[in-house]
Amino acid sequence: MADIYSSGVLGGIVANLKVPQTPVLTRYFPAETRFDTEEISFDLIPGKRRVSPFVSPLVAGKIVESLGQSVRTFQPAYIKDKRPFDPNRPFKRAVGEQVGGNSLTPAERAQLHLAFEMQDQINMATRRFELMATEAIRLGSVTVVGDGYPSVTVSFQRSAGNTIAALTGTARWGQSAANPLDNLQDWALVGAQASGEWPKDVIMGTDAWKQFRKDPEVKARLLAINTMGQAMSQASALSDNMQYMGTLDGFNIFVYAGWYVDPATGSEGPIWPVGAVSMAAPPPESGTEGGVEGVRLFGAIRDEELGYVATPYAPKSWSEKDPAVRYLMMQSAPLMAPLRPDATVYVPGVV
């Protein structure tokens, strides 16, 4: 009989478990790189609109310096979800098992309980990946802090101008001088000038969307779209958390409504700030280059028994003999990095 707690079996369970919805991670961070070292590195290549110089055909060619690149190195904090596996659970009725029946053996109940606990570990780790991805898109940086890990902010060197000052006074959406569509055009130009990519994806918090859709010009455009019967198919929902609301003036409008529980405070809050707006260049329809070029980076886990593996989810299990208890642990060393951070723009408040 196979040991259901061995690393090989646990890895198989991980591969078959469903994970939470991660619209930002999925859309803007499609690539993945794993390192066989604790540290992870990524290249940031600057973009400049240089023009080839003219010279006389009778003189030597002019030397043009290479753009070069900036290599960033970071030792990520670990995700270490460790929890006891209750030895009495196999003797209790499993979820879905017939009441009063003995349709499952203790060993079969143990397998169901193992899958349930690992599902929860996968969900928690994946939500952390999504949080890192949304922070990178919004702020152009990710702040990592945890127990025994001092606060470190990893900057992706986004241009300072790509963070727009929050709207104030009557310029706020919903106020007398508001002009949301002009705002989007102006903000997109900032990202286009900085990166060469047109940031036509617009991600709004729920309060920002409420005021955006009430704007008279926006309402007229949305009505025209619906009257013409244009399909809003952009994977109509990237997920239940991030809904596609339509395309206006070439901008794909998305609304992000997802929540998470902060492990430091235990309080629930929105993943995307409700009054914030961000813009991002979408992934290319074909080819591999373009858009934000987000990459999921994973460092090697410092664990001899696991073979120092680098993987998004590294499950492990062991038992203590007295008192009899089994532990499950899920480890990961992640960082979500946008290699073209200037293809994003962020406005912390529009309402």
Side-chain angles (χ1 to χ4, degrees), residues 155-175:
S155 173
F156 302 112
Q157 300 180 349
R158 186 172 71 183
S159 298
N162 284 43
T163 299
I164 311 294
L167 299 180
T168 59
T170 57
R172 291 175 297 150
W173 293 0
Q175 303 302 313

Side-chain angles (χ1 to χ4, degrees), residues 239-260:
S239 76
D240 289 339
N241 291 349
M242 188 162 138
Q243 293 280 341
Y244 170 66
M245 310 308 291
T247 297
L248 298 178
D249 288 3
F251 295 111
N252 302 318
I253 310 298
F254 297 97
V255 179
Y256 199 120
W259 293 265
Y260 76 103

Side-chain angles (χ1 to χ4, degrees), residues 196-217:
E197 293 278 343
W198 187 255
K200 66 179 183 179
D201 280 1
V202 181
I203 308 172
M204 299 183 182
T206 51
D207 288 357
W209 164 248
K210 289 176 184 178
Q211 295 304 323
F212 180 79
R213 70 180 182 181
K214 292 179 183 177
D215 181 81
E217 187 175 3

